[in-house]
Each structure stands twice: as C-alpha cells, then as structure tokens.
Amino acid sequence: LLVSKEMSIRSGNSLKLFEMTEYTYDIPILAVIGEEYFRGGDKKYSVKRTYNGWGNVTYEFDSKTMLKSEITYYSHSKYKNLINQKTVYNYNPNTGLYDNRTITKYSYDLTIGKPVTIRINDGIYISCIFFVYDGYGNLQTKTEQNILPDTTIKELVTEITYDSVMHAFPEKVVLKD
C-alpha cells in the first residue's frame, strides 16, 4: 500500500507542490517498509526497513544520513521485542566505505522484561548504563559510565524514590556524579 503526504504552497489561484512524502506499507504486519522524500518534485532521500515475523525492525537504511542499522532480538517465549544488539554502520564519504560502527548490546531481567545493562561501543569510547529496579518494577537506580580512551571512568548515578502508597509516583530524584 502506497500513501502520500503532500505539502503545497498557494500562489494566487494555483497550488504548487512543495514537499511530498510517500510511505509504503506492509499491510500484514502493519509497518512502514519504505519512505521516500521529495522536495520541488525531486527525490531527496529514502528510508527502507525490513522486519522479522513479530513486526520488529531488523534492518534500516537511510539514504540521507547513509546510516545502516542491523537489529537482533532476544528469543524469549513471552517477550518478542527485546533488542539483543543494534549495530549502526557509519558511511565515510572519504573512503566510500562503511568503516565505522557503533554496537549497542542489551541484557535484561527477563522476569520483568526490562534492561539491566546497555553497553555502547564505537571502537573508541565505551558507555555502559546499569539499571536496578525495586520490587514493583520501578527504576530505582540508573548508573551511566563513560570509559574514555585513557581508561578514565566518568560516572553519573540517578537514584529515584517512589511514594510509599502506590509505589508508582517518583517523590525524589537524586543525581550524583
């Protein structure tokens, strides 16, 4: 299914097409598999996606930024949308190659389906985010670590305290570095 969104500019009694976006849908999975962007009648860029059987994006290419992304998911009987790893490839116009990539790896507490660790590595810098949850599944502590090339670790900790009645509403948020 192809759907268009158009933006026109009125000049006197006539309309001139200024921008148009075309979306291509995969109806069985209710997902956008392609987007094409036009300005002044010329195609400027496009975005293409592929999906797995659960409707999760597994590949994306954006011709405007020249970024390619590959995403894998955990195989789990209950959760079907938990990302295992996302790899983003950056295009280098000087070499004509995708010679730089950023890999993001996730690990989860599968009893609640929430992340406990996210590790981002671009080959130079490493960032890690650690999550701790209370007995109600609320985020209690988030620790963000950046490991610099000289192995210096910079850390930011966020601690959240929730109300004692519903255990759902944050009462206090403390940032520590």
Side-chain angles (χ1 to χ4, degrees), residues 14-74:
S14 65
L15 283 176
K16 182 177 179 184
L17 180 63
F18 179 66
E19 284 184 338
M20 181 174 71
T21 306
E22 291 183 348
Y23 300 95
T24 305
Y25 289 88
D26 183 335
I27 297 298
I29 62 171
L30 301 173
V32 176
I33 57 173
E35 302 170 25
E36 293 188 336
Y37 296 87
F38 298 85
R39 180 167 281 174
D42 296 325
K43 181 177 172 181
K44 295 300 179 183
Y45 67 97
S46 62
V47 177
K48 303 289 181 198
R49 293 181 194 90
T50 56
Y51 297 81
N52 65 14
W54 290 99
N56 300 312
V57 175
T58 57
Y59 178 83
E60 181 175 271
F61 175 73
D62 184 331
S63 70
K64 182 177 183 180
T65 60
M66 296 299 288
L67 291 176
K68 292 192 298 187
S69 300
E70 296 173 350
I71 306 166
T72 60
Y73 295 84
Y74 273 93

Side-chain angles (χ1 to χ4, degrees), residues 130 143-146 153-157 176-177:
F130 304 97
T143 304
E144 300 173 64
Q145 290 182 343
N146 292 309
I153 297 176
K154 301 286 185 179
E155 187 170 271
L156 175 65
V157 178
K176 299 177 182 178
D177 62 354

Side-chain angles (χ1 to χ4, degrees), residues 3 9 11 16 19 30 42 46 55 60 62-64 67 77 90 95-96 109 115 117 120 136 141-142 162 168-169 174:
V3 176
I9 298 176
S11 177
K16 182 177 179 184
E19 284 184 338
L30 301 173
D42 296 325
S46 62
E60 181 175 271
D62 184 331
S63 70
K64 182 177 183 180
L67 291 176
S77 61
N90 297 296
T95 63
D109 176 339
T117 306
I120 305 163
Y136 299 95
T141 306
K142 177 172 121 180
Y162 295 86
F169 305 104
V174 178

Side-chain angles (χ1 to χ4, degrees), residues 94-152:
N94 296 324
T95 63
L97 301 171
Y98 284 89
D99 54 9
N100 186 9
R101 68 179 184 201
T102 301
I103 299 172
T104 306
K105 293 183 179 184
Y106 300 79
S107 62
Y108 297 88
D109 176 339
L110 295 176
T111 59
I112 59 174
K114 293 186 178 184
V116 291
T117 306
I118 299 174
R119 181 180 169 91
I120 305 163
N121 186 343
D122 70 359
I124 299 172
Y125 296 98
I126 299 172
S127 295
C128 296
I129 306 169
F130 304 97
F131 303 90
V132 177
Y133 303 92
D134 64 18
Y136 299 95
N138 298 314
L139 179 62
Q140 194 171 29
T141 306
K142 177 172 121 180
T143 304
E144 300 173 64
Q145 290 182 343
N146 292 309
I147 304 168
L148 306 176
D150 65 358
T151 67
T152 303

